[in-house]
Structure formats: C-alpha cells, structure tokens
Amino acid sequence: MDGYLNLGTQITGEPVLLPINALKKHVVVLGASGSGKTVMGKVIIEEAALNHVPSIIIDPQGDLASLGIAGSKEELEKHGVNPEAAQMFSENVEIRIFTPASSRGIPLSINPLKLPSGEVPEEEAIRSIDLSAACITKFMGFDIDADEGRAAQRFLYQLLQMLWKKGETLSDFNYLADLIEDPTKLGLFDSSTIISDRERTRLARKMRQLTIGTNQLIFNFGVPIDIDTLLRPTMPGKTPINIIYLNVLTADEQKQFFVAMIAQEIYNWMLQHPSEKPQLVFYVDEIAPYMPPYPLNPPAKDAIVMLFKQGRKYGVSCLIASQNFADLDYKALGQAGTWLIGRFMAKQDMEKIKPTLKGVAPNSADAVVRKLPALQPGEFIVISPDNADNVVQVKTRWLFTRHRTLDDESIKEAMGEDVQQYFKRFAPAKPVMRQPAKQQFARAQIWAEQKETDPYLPKSSKKPIPEISQFASDAATGQQAAKNPIRTEISMPQIIPAPEINASATHKDAKPSELVYVSKLTCPQQEALKIAKGKLSGTLFSKDEEIFDVSFKYVPLWRVSCAIRKGIPMISRRTETENVYVNALNGMLCTVEGKSIHFTSLVEKHISGISDLDGIAEFEEVEKSEVEYIKPKITEAKARSTVHRIFGKDVLESAMVLLPIWSFSVKSVYTKRGRTIVIDGVMGKEIESGAF
C-alpha cells in the first residue's frame, strides 16, 4: 500500500500498517535468537522498496542476501501473500549483492581518504573529516582514548583538513604517509605541539602498512563506494536494494572499517542531498559489534551514531536489529521512534529493557514486559508513539522472497545477469595490485618460497624465485687473506659486487624480485672512526691498539612481517603487523637494546615487545644491481620458518633489507694479535663480536 509499510496482522486479522514517514525517526528490532528479527527487518526493506525507498544493507552472515531469491507461487498463496504486491516487488525492485575485496558477488572497494565536497558547509565538513581521522586511526590499531592514539588522530585530522581547504584530492596512503613524515610539504612547519617525531614516524609506518595484504583489495578491488551509484537503478523505474555481504572479510577489524566507511559515505552524501521524505534505509543486522555501549568505541560506532542523530533531518533512516539490548549504545537508541520487540525469555533481558520501555510507552511498559516471554517466533510488540496511541501486537507477514542463508558460492545466483554486467563498467576485471612504494617493505612475491622449504604456505601458491648470483671469485678472496695475516674475530663473508648497470633500465621498471631496501647511512666514516677509537684498549694517553684499515659493507637482513591479533573479539578485534629482522648470514634475530643493535638466538619477549629497526632505520628502495652487499647464507624461506618456529605467528610477507656497517681492522702495538671493531651505520654503535 502506497505510503504505508505492511508489517503483518493483528490477532484480529486486521493489518498493521506503519506510515512510511515513520522511517525517518529510525526503527529498532529486538528479540532473542530465533524470534524472527531478521525476517521482520526484511519485511520492512521489502515494504520500503514498494514505496520506492532504496536501501543499503549490511549483511554479516548471508541471511539478507536471499532477498534476491523470489518465493514460489504456491508458498506465497499458502501463506496469504498479496499476489499483486509480490508481483510488483519482483518487477520493480533490483537486488545487488556486493562483496568487499572479493569477486564472489559484485566486488566493492572503499576510499577512506575521500574528503567532503567543497559544497558541504564547513561545520559539517569538519565533523566528517574528524570521523575519517578517527576511523583510520583506529583501523591502524591505535587507541584514540590513549595519548598516542589521540595525538595520531589529531595530527591526521589536521593534515586532512588542510588538504580539504586547499581543494586537493587524496587517494593514496603512501602520499599521506609522505606528508606525515614531512608535513612541511603541506605548509605545516611545527607539528611538535600535536605529535612527537617518534610518534609521527610510527604513524607513517603504520599508514604504509595499510596497503599490504588483503587491505589493498579492500581499497582497490571493485566498484568504488559511491552512494549515488548505489542508489541509481540500472533500469528506469526500479528501486535498488544494495546488500553488502561481509562474510567474505575474515578479520573483524576489516568488517568494522568497511561498515564505518559505508556509514560515513552515507553521512557525507546526505549532507548534500537533504530530503523531507524518507529517501534511504540503512539496515544493519546484528548491530551489537558496531554500536556497543560506552566505553567501547569500535571504528564503526561514531559514524553510525552520527546517522542516528542527524539522519532524520535528511531523510535517511537507520534500521537495526539485535538480540541483546544491553549490548547497544543507549544514546543512539534514544533517537529511535519505532520499536518492534520480539520474544525474550531471560528475566535479566526483560529487566534491562524495561527502563527504556517506560520512556517510550510509560503506560504500557509493565504489560509489554509480561507479554514478551509468551510471544511466538515472528510475533512482535510494535511501539511507535508518533504513529499510534497504543502498542500493537503483530504477526509478521510472509516474505515475498525466500528466507535462507546464502554461502559465498550462492551469491551470484541471487542477482540478475544484467545487474552484474552493469557494474563491471565501474571496476577492473581483476584486482589492481599496489606498485612498490619508496620506504615501504611491500613485496609482490609474498608467496614465492617453495613448499619444501616453507611449509607454512598453501602449496598452490608456491612459485620458484631466482637465486642470487655470486660474482666474487674464491681466488680474489684468497689473495686478500694473504695480504692481511692479522687474525680477526669477525670473519666477513663474500661480497656481491654490483654488475655493470644497464643505462636503459629504469627503477620503475624493476621487478619486485630485483629490488632491495637499503638503510640510509646516518653515521659517516669520520664519525664511526671516532667511535671505534674510543673502543681501543689502553689508557687515555697511551693506546695498546691502533686502527690500520677500514671497510664499508652492507649486511643483509630478512625482514619478516607477522600478523598478531589484538583487542576484544567481535568488538575491537584487529590484526596488526609486527616485523622481525633476521640476520641473513647466521639466522640470529636482530634487536635494538640500549640504543644499540644486537643479534641473538634466544628470545624471551613476546613478538610485540621486541624493539627493532622499525622507526630507527630509514629504508630506501633500490635495485639490487646498484648496491654491493654480502651474499646471504640464510634463505628467505628459512628466515620465515625460523620466525614462525620462534613466535608461532602467521607470516604475511618478507623482504631483504641491507644494514650499513663499518669494519675497522685493529692490531696490537706490542703483539701480532688483531681484531675487528664493527660500527653500525645507522645508530653509530658497536655491534658485538660474533654477530656475523
């Protein structure tokens, strides 16, 4: 019926009709598991579509994707469904099922760096940018209630606001990381009042890590989220129902981030499209993980709460369902104008909901609470003070569509082929893999090791990698040894000299396997020499040793990135990346202790408690042909398996990095004994004997 939502029937058989305008003040569906919440939510979506109101739906489990499967004629007739309404729904509604970072349905991607339009009032733009900064900061693993997280959010907000004021667009995390490292590029010359240099370095590193692994698919693969595109039908006259199927995302923090970005996109869109009538329904089934009560504050919460607070002014309706009232933010619930409450059996559940009922239906609250345990599946108490003087009990009408849970393989069956073809124009046919970026440890060949040497990766993903050639001859090594009879305690392995460089080759054309990450030399030879002289034995005025030679080398390390899980499951659970550096000459772990570099085989600390080169060494990506370095003795696969064996963590990726070192040959003034003092070229500290 035009202008009304047909929810079902009363005990008397009379229909329960809710005015379409009731959507503007949001709808909450509550009930224990099995009470029929999801079916009631689908009924509201079907009825909204019949009234030409499109929807964007968050489907966490596949229960809502079946809106694309029509019910059989016999089944509809058996349950008294109006055949004309069912036919109208089938002909005039268009179902799209989007799958983030996956081609199971219509691939969907997000751009969290998308700034508000210049037409948005500054007050609203500031609010939107603040939401973006908070969401990105949380996704990177910061706690914005802690000092470091708060500083990161505020600094990120300042950069985004400056970009917005300049009218610049931003679509690349690496570019934003560059601005974080050097904010003077944007005209911000003093950031120390907001964030320390050390915190800024860590923020930039975490920003770059957002483009590694599955995240790059979330940001790059599929139809970019655009609310106008989602609400535009493929054929005139049809009403879109957009279902975002989250089951293809395996990590809770990715789901949180995706929901947050969708909610924010809706918020930004509605600011530019105000309406006095309902123009969009945003439905989140089982919303508890995304809108929990204080003090929990997952990434999606702020944006959803903002829609609850302001959506009614712009014709955007929030429809939510949950089985636990106490798990929801009460301030957001206070904005709801219509409540549908199903069966609750537990006494504590009824006690928790009773105070709210007294607020929305003071004269009926006690009677409603007494009624809840006796309700059957599909029966609800409807409370809508703006539209009805009394509470009403309703038996949910039968769906026009089938109600079943779809798995990943069944997604495309619920969509028309014409819809799938239509959206192919908006996205590439396959994932767009991120190009290597300067100062970043990403590798395109994450799964390059053989099954025989690395048992922790799927066999189907193995590909052979080329071996590094050995250019130095054994004869040359022998001649060098003959010239220097002094015994050294540290024996340096063979050096791989740089072959002749092909002038026609450019850095941007280099393959990932041809690249290496070289630490910037911050301790030059003269400074290292002073440090080495301070290590000579003897008195201040008379030394027993003297330095007679020096050499500069790059020592190879394997940087192994592991996934660790942090936070509260289903609320703020997130996966963070922790790096471990493995000496490629002997397999020892590289750590930073007391402001100096150490190598050890015995590790007692948790992986997240180890201090390493991150935030200390500044790496630059260069071609292997442009730098001389010591040939690794430990393979990349062995380094990965070593890290997995020690910490028991999943390995995400690995890459070779080069550490600059100075080797000073020392001889005794009185004897023929000698030794080598090794100074690292990053921190300017001595590296203990036996490290190589």
Side-chain angles (χ1 to χ4, degrees), residues 2 34 54 57 121 143 207 348 370 383 493 497 521 531 533 548:
D2 284 346
I57 301 172
D143 179 2
M207 182 70 67
Q348 60 267 31
R370 289 193 299 269
I383 305 173
L521 179 67
I531 298 170
K533 286 183 176 180
F548 70 92

Side-chain angles (χ1 to χ4, degrees), residues 29-40 286 321-323 340-345 372 375-380 394-396:
V29 185
L30 300 174
S33 178
S35 61
K37 301 183 303 298
T38 301
V39 171
M40 175 57 83
E286 297 298 347
S322 178
Q323 59 183 297
L340 293 96
I341 306 174
R343 181 175 59 182
F344 278 110
M345 301 293 292
L372 295 181
L375 294 176
Q376 297 300 308
E379 294 182 347
F380 291 84
V394 61
K395 174 67 175 177
T396 310

Side-chain angles (χ1 to χ4, degrees), residues 141-452:
F142 288 98
D143 179 2
I144 64 172
D145 293 324
D147 290 341
E148 185 178 9
R150 192 178 301 113
Q153 178 194 356
R154 290 174 178 174
F155 180 61
L156 191 56
Y157 163 79
Q158 187 165 11
L159 293 180
L160 294 177
Q161 185 191 35
M162 293 178 73
L163 287 165
W164 177 75
K165 286 187 175 181
K166 289 176 178 290
E168 296 186 21
T169 58
L170 188 62
S171 60
D172 182 60
F173 280 111
N174 291 312
Y175 175 62
L176 183 55
D178 289 341
L179 294 179
I180 292 172
E181 290 175 335
D182 185 8
T184 60
K185 295 178 180 179
L186 201 58
L188 182 58
F189 295 99
D190 183 13
S191 60
S192 60
T193 57
I194 303 174
I195 189 171
S196 68
D197 290 344
R198 183 176 181 277
E199 291 172 335
R200 190 158 47 79
T201 299
R202 182 167 182 257
L203 176 61
R205 176 169 61 87
K206 283 183 169 288
M207 182 70 67
R208 296 191 193 282
Q209 291 174 350
L210 291 181
T211 60
I212 299 175
T214 308
N215 290 341
Q216 63 183 323
L217 297 179
I218 293 177
F219 302 135
N220 297 321
F221 180 37
V223 181
I225 285 184
D226 178 79
I227 304 302
D228 283 325
T229 300
L230 296 185
L231 301 188
R232 185 184 305 118
T234 62
M235 297 180 61
K238 294 216 170 188
T239 301
I241 294 179
N242 302 280
I243 302 166
I244 300 173
Y245 177 78
L246 292 184
N247 243 5
V248 290
L249 297 175
T250 56
D252 294 336
E253 69 271 15
Q254 291 176 344
K255 296 178 182 180
Q256 284 279 352
F257 190 60
F258 215 93
V259 172
M261 288 294 99
I262 293 169
Q264 186 168 338
E265 282 289 327
I266 294 174
Y267 179 80
N268 290 338
W269 174 84
M270 77 180 189
L271 296 178
Q272 301 177 66
H273 301 82
S275 174
E276 295 182 356
K277 298 180 179 180
Q279 59 174 337
L280 171 64
V281 177
F282 179 47
Y283 176 24
V284 184
D285 195 27
E286 297 298 347
I287 196 173
Y290 307 105
M291 199 180 72
Y294 178 84
L296 298 175
N297 192 24
K301 180 178 177 179
D302 289 341
I304 294 176
V305 170
M306 193 64 68
L307 289 177
F308 263 91
K309 290 181 177 179
Q310 299 197 36
R312 67 175 67 181
K313 297 188 297 184
Y314 297 91
V316 172
S317 170
C318 293
L319 168 62
I320 63 172
S322 178
Q323 59 183 297
N324 195 334
F325 173 79
D327 288 343
L328 305 179
D329 183 86
Y330 74 94
K331 290 184 178 179
L333 293 178
Q335 304 292 326
T338 299
W339 297 68
L340 293 96
I341 306 174
R343 181 175 59 182
F344 278 110
M345 301 293 292
K347 183 177 180 180
Q348 60 267 31
D349 290 335
M350 292 183 285
E351 289 299 323
K352 290 175 182 177
I353 200 172
K354 189 173 181 179
T356 299
L357 290 177
K358 288 186 175 182
V360 295
N363 298 326
S364 308
D366 292 333
V368 169
V369 170
R370 289 193 299 269
K371 185 70 174 177
L372 295 181
L375 294 176
Q376 297 300 308
E379 294 182 347
F380 291 84
I381 302 297
V382 182
I383 305 173
S384 187
D386 292 340
N387 302 289
D389 295 332
N390 301 313
V391 300
V392 178
Q393 182 175 332
V394 61
K395 174 67 175 177
T396 310
R397 72 159 175 80
W398 197 260
L399 289 168
F400 300 142
T401 54
R402 294 186 62 185
H403 180 58
R404 66 183 181 93
T405 301
L406 298 187
D407 56 23
D408 296 2
E409 304 297 330
S410 306
I411 294 298
K412 290 187 176 180
E413 299 176 9
M415 286 187 292
E417 183 63 29
D418 54 338
V419 172
Q420 298 179 50
Q421 292 298 324
Y422 173 82
F423 280 100
K424 285 184 178 180
R425 72 178 70 177
F426 297 100
K430 59 182 180 179
V432 179
M433 305 307 289
R434 180 185 55 81
Q435 296 298 317
K438 187 176 181 180
Q439 298 180 7
Q440 186 169 345
F441 291 94
R443 295 194 64 194
Q445 293 182 328
I446 294 175
W447 311 112
E449 295 78 4
Q450 296 293 339
K451 178 69 176 179
E452 292 75 20

Side-chain angles (χ1 to χ4, degrees), residues 498-499 501 505-507 514 516 621-628:
I501 298 175
T506 60
H507 176 71
E514 300 170 348
V516 67
E621 186 181 72
V622 301
E623 294 186 37
K624 288 180 179 178
S625 61
E626 297 177 1
V627 60
E628 294 183 359

